[in-house]
Amino acid sequence: MTDLEVSAIQVIDENKVFNSLLVDYMKQFYSQNNSSDDKGLNYHIVSVFGSQSTGKSTLLNHLFHTKFDVMDESQRQQTTKGIWLAHANHISSSNESGDFANNTKNVFVMDVEGTDGRERGEDQDFERKAALFALSTSEILIINIWEHQVGLYQGANLGLLRTVFEVNLSLFAKNKQRCLLLFVIRDHVGNTSLESLSDVLTLDLQNIWSQLNKPQGTEGFELDDFFDLKFVALAHKLLQPDKFIEDISVLGDKFISEDQLFNEGYHRAIPIDGWSMYAEQVWEQIETNQDLDLPTQQILVARFRCDEISSQVYESFHEQFVKSNWDDLSFTEIGNSLKELRQNAVQQYDILAGRYSESVYLQRKKLLVQKVDLSILEVYTSVLQKLIRQSRDLYLKQIESSLTKKEAGIIFYQVLDNAERESLKYFNENTSLISFVDVDDSEARSYDPSPKLRELEEELSNLRTELVNKEQENIKTKIPRKFKSHFKLIVQDELSNIKPSSWEELLDQFRQVSEKLLAKYKSPDSNYDFHLGLSKEKNKELHEQVLIKFWIKFKEILNDFVTETNVLRLLVSKFEDEFRYDEEGLPVVWKNSAEIDVKFAKARNSALDLLPLFSLAHTAEGEILPDYDIAHDEAEAESDNEEDDGFKESHKFAHLLSARDQDAIRNKFKKQTDALYVETKRSVINSKTEVPLYIYALLLVLGWNEFMIILRNPLLITLLLIGLTGLYLGYKTKLLGPIVQVVQAMIQELQDQAKNKLRDVLVSEPEAPSQVRIGKEVDATKDED
Ligand SMILES: Nc1nc2c(ncn2[C@@H]2O[C@H](COP(=O)(O)OP(=O)(O)OP(=O)(O)O)[C@@H](O)[C@H]2O)c(=O)[nH]1
Ligand SMILES: [Mg+2]
C-alpha cells in the first residue's frame, strides 16, 4: 500500500466502478464518534470540479494537506482518473501556528477527474455523471477555473454546468437541497478585480439558468433557490508562489470558520456511517440512468443502516445473554441483568440509529426490541413460573405448619387466609424485583406480571377449595370417630347393667357427648360454624351430616354390643349373680332342693326380663328414633366399610334383636341355666351321706338274732326306749346337732387319748435295740452310697 492509498481512496474508478472498500475507509473516521452526541453528522464533503490539469489536485493538497496525485510537469497528461476521496489531514490556515489547523470538522474532499479530458475525447458521459455525483453528495462544490477562462462559455465548462443544473432541478426540486458553488479563480494576476470576475460569472450562470429546460412544476425556481455562489481568487502558483500559499491559507480559514462556507442547509443529513452506502446507491442510480430520487435514497440508506445496526446490537446482546447463568442468580440479580441487557441494547441502537430517518429508526427499533424481548421474556416467564410454584409451595407449607402447631382456638379459614396473603405477598415482592419495564410502555406489555398473578390466585383458590373439601371430610370422619370411641364406653357401662331407665340415660348421654364434641363450633347465635369459611347453609348442612354420623356410630356401637353372645353372657351372668349369691352378696349354701327350685325360678325370670330391654331401645315415650333419617348414609357407610355378605341388617335404629335372635338367646340361656340347676342340685344330694336300703335289709337279716335278744331282754328294751326318746327330744329341741357334735368331740377326744397312750407305750420300750436299729440303718445308707 502506498502513502496515497492510505490517505486517499478511489471512490469510483475510471471504468465507473464503485469501490466497495469505501465502507472500511470511512469506518476509521467514525468508529470513535459512535457514542458522541453529534448524531454522526459532524463531517463535511467538499468536491472539486473543473477542466483537466487546472491544478485541482494541487489546490486540494495545499488546502487540505491531502496527497492526491498531481501532474508531472514534464508529461502534461491527465492525472486524476475517476473520483478520489480523502479525509483532510489538516486545513491550511493563516491564523494558526504551523500554518494549519486540525480537521476537527471531519472535512472529506473529493477530487474529481477533470472535464474536457483529451483521454475521453467526445465522451462526456463520465464527466456528466461525475458532476452529478459530486453535486448529489457534496455540500460545497469547488469549481476550479483559470482567470482567463472567465467569460468563455466553453472554457469555464459552463456548458457542462448547464446540464448539471437541469438534472439538479429534477433531483432537488422536491426538497430544495441547497449547495454552495465555490468558484476558485486560478492564476489571478490582479488586472481584473475579483468583483468584476464574480459579476461576469454570476451573469453567465444566471443566463444558463434562464435558458434551462425546466422540468414541469419547477419553472418558477431561481438559481439561488438551490445554489449559493461564492468566489475566491488565488495568485499564480509559479509567478507568486508565496502569495499563492497565503491565498490558500486565507481560503483555509474560511473552511475552518463556523459560518463562512459551511452551512447546515448544505448537509445531506446522512450519518457518516451510512455515507458510503448512500454514495454507492447514488452512483448506482446515476450509472443505471434511473431517476435520482435522493429522499428515497436517504430512506433506503436509513433502512439498510438501521437493519445493520440492529443486528449488530442484537448480536452483542445475545452474546451477553447466553453468557449469563440464569439458574444461579437471585431474583434481584436476574431483574438487574435483564434490565441492563435490555437497556443497553436499546441505548446502543438509539445512539447509532437515532440519526437516521425517524420513521425508519422507530420501526426498526420496534423490531429489535421485539427480538430482544423474545429472549428476555423466556427467562422472565420462567422466573415467574418458578415464582408461582414457590408461592404455591409456600401457601401449602404455611397451612401445614399452622395446622400442625395445634394451637388452641385455631380457625381453619383464617389459616388459609393468612397463607394466601403470605403467598401473594411473596409473589408480588419478588415479581417487583424482576420486573423492570414500565407496564405502560406498549412494547413491554408482555412484561406485565398481572396475568401470572391471576394464574397464581386461581391456583390458590383451587387449592383452597380442595383443602376446605378435605377438611369437611375430615370433620365428617374424625369427629364421629372420636364420638364413637368416647360414647362406646358409656354404652358398654350402661348396657352391662341394663335396667329400664338405661335407654333414657343413654339418649341423654348421646346428646351431651354430641354437644360437647361440637361445642367449639357453636357460635353465640346457636348456629354452627366449622371455621371453613362456609356459608350459613353449608355449615348447617355439615352440622347435620356430622349428627347423622353420630347416630350411625351410635347404631354401630349398639350393633357391636348387643349381639347374641354378649346378651346371652350378660343374662347368664345376671342369672348367676342372683342365683348363687344372697342379698348381701355372699355365696348361697343350699339347705334343700326346694330352696334351689325357688331361687332358680326367680333368678331365671329376672334375667329373662332383661331380654326385651336389649331387644328394643326405648324410653317411656316409645322406641328411640334418630333425629335424622340415617338409613341412606348408613347403607353408604356399610358398603364402604364392610363386605356385603348378603345379610341385611334391619336399619331400624331401635330394633337390636330380632324375634329369632331372642328365641335363640332364650334357648341357649335355658340350656345353660338348666345345666347349672342340675349341677347345683346334684351337689346338694352328694353332700348327704345316705345308706342304701339293702344295707338295712342285710342288717335285719344278719342281725335278726341280736335284734330279737334285745327285744326279749326287758332291760335292753328299756334302755333302747330311753335312748330313742332322748334322740326324739334332741331332734324336737333342735339339740340333736349340738349333741352329735359333743358326741363327735368326745369320740375325737377319746381317740386322741388312746393314740397318746399307745405312743407312750411304744416310747417307754428299752433304748439299746433301737440304737442298734438306727446304727444298722446308718450302715445300710453307707452301703448304698
Ligand atoms: N500556472 C499554474 N500552474 C499550476 C497551478 N497549480 C498547479 N499547477 C500546475 O498544473 C499542473 C496540473 O496540476 P494538477 O494539480 O495535477 O492538475 P489537475 O487539475 O489535478 O489535473 P488532472 O487531475 O489531470 O485533471 C501541474 O503541473 C501543476 O504544477 C497554478 O495555480 N498555476
Ligand atoms: Mg488532479
Side-chain angles (χ1 to χ4, degrees):
M1 226 180 237
T2 64
D3 278 352
L4 179 73
E5 279 169 330
V6 173
S7 59
I9 181 166
Q10 192 176 31
V11 180
I12 292 154
D13 70 9
E14 55 268 46
N15 299 318
K16 307 172 194 168
V17 177
F18 194 90
N19 187 357
S20 56
L21 294 176
L22 179 64
V23 181
D24 301 323
Y25 179 84
M26 296 300 285
K27 245 181 206 165
Q28 49 187 319
F29 304 107
Y30 66 74
S31 55
Q32 69 268 26
N33 292 326
N34 271 350
S35 55
S36 69
D37 52 6
D38 60 23
K39 297 194 164 187
L41 299 180
N42 180 30
Y43 75 100
H44 300 284
I45 309 284
V46 176
S47 300
V48 71
F49 180 74
S51 301
Q52 190 188 312
S53 303
T54 46
K56 297 186 294 294
S57 303
T58 308
L59 169 66
L60 295 181
N61 286 348
H62 276 93
L63 191 56
F64 297 111
H65 296 218
T66 51
K67 289 178 177 172
F68 293 116
D69 263 354
V70 290
M71 197 188 79
D72 185 343
E73 287 289 347
S74 59
Q75 291 183 356
R76 290 217 67 84
Q77 60 177 19
Q78 188 183 35
T79 315
T80 305
K81 290 185 175 154
I83 301 173
W84 288 77
L85 177 92
H87 182 257
N89 285 319
H90 302 284
I91 299 174
S92 283
S93 165
S94 61
N95 301 326
E96 305 284 331
S97 58
D99 303 336
F100 59 80
N102 285 331
N103 181 14
T104 51
K105 287 184 184 170
N106 285 307
V107 176
F108 289 85
V109 284
M110 270 206 288
D111 193 6
V112 182
E113 180 179 312
T115 56
D116 309 325
R118 188 161 45 89
E119 284 77 358
R120 294 217 187 247
E122 287 304 303
D123 179 15
Q124 285 199 329
D125 185 54
F126 183 81
E127 52 188 53
R128 284 182 59 188
K129 285 179 174 167
L132 249 175
F133 179 75
L135 202 61
S136 319
T137 54
S138 311
E139 294 155 62
I140 298 176
L141 187 65
I142 297 175
I143 296 172
N144 202 42
I145 187 169
W146 297 122
E147 187 190 357
H148 63 260
Q149 283 181 311
V150 176
L152 300 175
Y153 183 80
Q154 276 301 326
N157 263 316
L158 299 183
L160 181 61
L161 271 179
R162 180 194 166 98
T163 321
V164 169
F165 285 165
E166 264 177 13
V167 180
N168 182 72
L169 252 185
S170 57
L171 289 184
F172 301 128
K174 272 188 214 158
N175 59 348
K176 280 197 175 178
Q177 177 65 55
R178 296 183 69 80
C179 172
L180 172 68
L181 297 181
L182 176 63
F183 285 85
V184 178
I185 299 162
R186 308 291 293 268
D187 286 359
H188 181 240
V189 284
N191 294 341
T192 322
S193 70
L194 179 62
E195 283 74 35
S196 344
L197 291 170
S198 312
D199 291 344
V200 174
L201 280 171
T202 309
L203 206 66
D204 280 351
L205 289 169
Q206 272 165 353
N207 275 334
I208 294 172
W209 186 266
S210 62
Q211 289 162 20
L212 285 182
N213 294 321
K214 297 193 183 75
Q216 209 182 356
T218 62
E219 296 87 350
F221 288 122
E222 294 298 328
L223 177 67
D224 51 15
D225 283 332
F226 300 97
F227 297 106
D228 286 327
L229 303 177
K230 281 201 169 133
F231 303 91
V232 176
L234 298 180
H236 199 290
K237 182 182 176 262
L238 301 175
L239 301 179
Q240 301 166 279
D242 292 343
K243 179 80 175 30
F244 174 75
I245 295 296
E246 199 191 314
D247 285 348
I248 284 187
S249 301
V250 173
L251 179 57
D253 291 341
K254 295 184 176 170
F255 277 98
I256 295 162
S257 155
E258 282 300 318
D259 50 6
Q260 292 225 35
L261 296 177
F262 291 119
N263 180 313
E264 237 179 81
Y266 305 151
H267 208 289
R268 295 297 184 276
I270 303 285
I272 185 168
D273 47 336
W275 189 83
S276 58
M277 173 183 289
Y278 174 71
E280 187 174 0
Q281 300 229 338
V282 167
W283 181 251
E284 204 182 296
Q285 296 233 315
I286 291 173
E287 250 299 80
T288 51
N289 264 323
Q290 290 175 22
D291 276 348
L292 194 56
D293 185 352
L294 291 179
T296 311
Q297 293 308 313
Q298 289 174 357
I299 293 287
L300 282 177
V301 169
R303 278 186 201 153
F304 192 89
R305 274 301 294 154
C306 287
D307 281 347
E308 221 173 45
I309 293 165
S310 163
S311 51
Q312 187 185 317
V313 164
Y314 181 77
E315 240 167 65
S316 85
F317 156 79
H318 191 252
E319 202 180 306
Q320 293 286 319
F321 180 82
V322 294
K323 248 197 253 163
S324 307
N325 205 351
W326 300 108
D327 291 342
D328 299 342
L329 298 180
S330 69
F331 289 137
T332 322
E333 287 168 334
I334 292 175
N336 288 341
S337 279
L338 291 179
K339 183 182 186 169
E340 205 181 296
L341 280 175
R342 195 177 190 267
Q343 261 177 7
N344 278 351
V346 172
Q347 252 169 28
Q348 276 297 103
Y349 177 82
D350 280 350
I351 289 171
L352 295 173
R355 320 146 165 181
Y356 287 94
S357 143
E358 197 184 353
S359 65
V360 176
Y361 147 74
L362 287 177
Q363 186 199 18
R364 296 303 198 266
K365 179 176 177 175
K366 198 171 168 179
L367 293 177
L368 171 70
V369 170
Q370 279 173 1
K371 215 168 145 194
V372 165
D373 280 353
L374 262 185
S375 301
I376 292 187
L377 268 173
E378 198 185 312
V379 174
Y380 181 74
T381 319
S382 83
V383 172
L384 281 188
Q385 214 57 48
K386 191 172 161 187
L387 258 176
I388 287 190
R389 277 200 306 278
Q390 289 185 349
S391 307
R392 197 199 55 190
D393 291 351
L394 179 76
Y395 176 74
L396 292 175
K397 221 169 101 188
Q398 287 259 330
I399 291 173
E400 200 193 325
S401 78
S402 297
L403 293 182
T404 45
K405 266 187 219 154
K406 295 227 158 95
E407 278 168 3
I410 204 157
I411 307 278
F412 191 78
Y413 74 86
Q414 280 177 0
V415 169
L416 298 188
D417 285 351
N418 287 341
E420 190 173 324
R421 206 174 309 120
E422 287 294 310
S423 166
L424 291 176
K425 192 173 145 205
Y426 177 81
F427 180 83
N428 284 328
E429 275 176 5
N430 284 298
T431 305
S432 70
L433 292 181
I434 57 159
S435 61
F436 48 85
V437 190
D438 185 1
V439 180
D440 291 338
D441 173 3
S442 64
E443 297 299 322
R445 219 163 282 144
S446 333
Y447 289 94
D448 179 7
S450 43
K452 289 280 167 199
L453 177 65
R454 276 194 291 279
E455 202 177 295
L456 173 65
E457 281 170 343
E458 202 173 309
E459 205 168 330
L460 294 188
S461 142
N462 288 342
L463 277 175
R464 189 193 180 101
T465 317
E466 217 172 274
L467 288 167
V468 167
N469 285 344
K470 214 168 139 194
E471 187 58 18
Q472 268 196 66
E473 287 309 311
N474 218 0
I475 286 176
K476 279 197 274 182
T477 45
K478 247 168 134 183
I479 303 182
R481 200 182 297 145
K482 217 165 161 188
F483 166 83
K484 188 175 179 178
S485 70
H486 201 72
F487 194 55
K488 193 174 176 175
L489 300 175
I490 298 176
V491 171
Q492 282 174 354
D493 282 355
E494 188 62 47
L495 293 190
S496 294
N497 288 303
I498 196 163
K499 50 191 176 299
S501 65
S502 283
W503 292 111
E504 200 91 48
E505 267 159 39
L506 278 183
L507 201 57
D508 205 41
Q509 285 283 335
F510 172 80
R511 303 221 187 272
Q512 276 180 33
V513 172
S514 307
E515 189 93 335
K516 204 172 129 198
L517 283 174
L518 295 177
K520 67 172 174 175
Y521 299 118
K522 196 166 184 175
S523 41
D525 60 357
S526 288
N527 281 318
Y528 282 84
D529 180 359
F530 289 89
H531 308 159
L532 300 178
L534 298 175
S535 66
K536 210 169 168 184
E537 286 70 35
K538 289 263 171 200
N539 270 315
K540 207 170 153 195
E541 204 177 292
L542 183 56
H543 179 226
E544 218 166 74
Q545 282 167 339
V546 172
L547 288 180
I548 288 174
K549 289 260 174 163
F550 283 174
W551 279 104
I552 292 171
K553 294 290 171 196
F554 190 1
K555 171 84 171 156
E556 273 172 22
I557 295 169
L558 291 180
N559 283 342
D560 288 348
F561 190 78
V562 185
T563 58
E564 199 183 301
T565 353
N566 241 356
V567 172
L568 179 63
R569 182 180 56 76
L570 286 170
L571 292 190
V572 171
S573 138
K574 168 86 179 165
F575 164 80
E576 284 188 343
D577 282 354
E578 213 170 317
F579 181 59
R580 285 183 196 267
Y581 299 93
D582 61 15
E583 281 79 28
E584 277 98 52
L586 295 171
V588 176
V589 179
W590 300 109
K591 289 168 193 136
N592 54 47
S593 66
E595 196 182 9
I596 294 175
D597 289 348
V598 174
K599 202 145 191 226
F600 175 79
K602 204 178 144 205
R604 183 139 111 174
N605 286 341
S606 72
L608 278 176
D609 280 350
L610 299 182
L611 190 55
L613 289 181
F614 279 117
S615 307
L616 184 72
H618 64 280
T619 61
E621 281 134 43
E623 75 176 64
I624 296 176
L625 289 172
D627 299 336
Y628 304 93
D629 176 19
I630 63 168
H632 173 72
D633 298 77
E634 195 184 15
E636 221 168 58
E638 262 171 26
S639 67
D640 280 353
N641 300 332
E642 290 164 23
E643 283 168 35
D644 187 9
D645 53 3
F647 175 75
K648 274 229 170 235
E649 280 192 62
S650 157
H651 289 302
K652 276 199 153 184
F653 182 86
H655 296 242
L656 302 176
L657 292 172
S658 65
R660 211 179 53 192
D661 292 338
Q662 292 177 43
D663 284 346
I665 292 172
R666 227 175 261 120
N667 282 337
K668 284 183 184 163
F669 176 78
K670 236 173 132 223
K671 275 180 198 154
Q672 285 190 22
T673 48
D674 282 354
L676 204 67
Y677 171 79
V678 171
E679 194 193 318
T680 316
K681 275 254 164 147
R682 193 179 294 137
S683 70
V684 172
I685 293 164
N686 280 350
S687 67
K688 288 182 189 168
T689 48
E690 280 189 58
V691 181
L693 280 170
Y694 68 93
I695 295 290
Y696 290 104
L698 203 64
L699 206 68
L700 199 67
V701 174
L702 293 175
W704 183 255
N705 294 335
E706 287 80 359
F707 194 58
M708 289 316 283
I709 291 169
I710 291 170
L711 285 181
R712 280 173 196 151
N713 188 327
L715 180 71
L716 285 175
I717 194 86
T718 315
L719 278 172
L720 186 70
L721 284 174
I722 292 168
L724 285 175
T725 315
L727 272 176
Y728 178 75
L729 284 173
Y731 175 73
K732 272 289 165 190
T733 54
K734 292 194 177 170
L735 285 171
L736 208 56
I739 293 169
V740 170
Q741 278 174 6
V742 169
V743 172
Q744 275 175 348
M746 280 168 61
I747 293 168
Q748 189 66 42
E749 188 59 34
L750 281 172
Q751 278 177 350
D752 290 349
Q753 296 268 341
K755 275 179 193 164
N756 284 340
K757 287 277 178 213
L758 194 61
R759 199 174 292 125
D760 289 344
V761 173
L762 287 170
V763 171
S764 61
E765 272 181 48
E767 284 182 9
S770 96
Q771 273 177 347
V772 170
R773 208 179 298 132
I774 292 164
K776 268 183 186 170
E777 278 172 9
V778 172
D779 285 345
T781 45
K782 267 185 185 170
D783 290 343
E784 275 170 31
D785 289 337

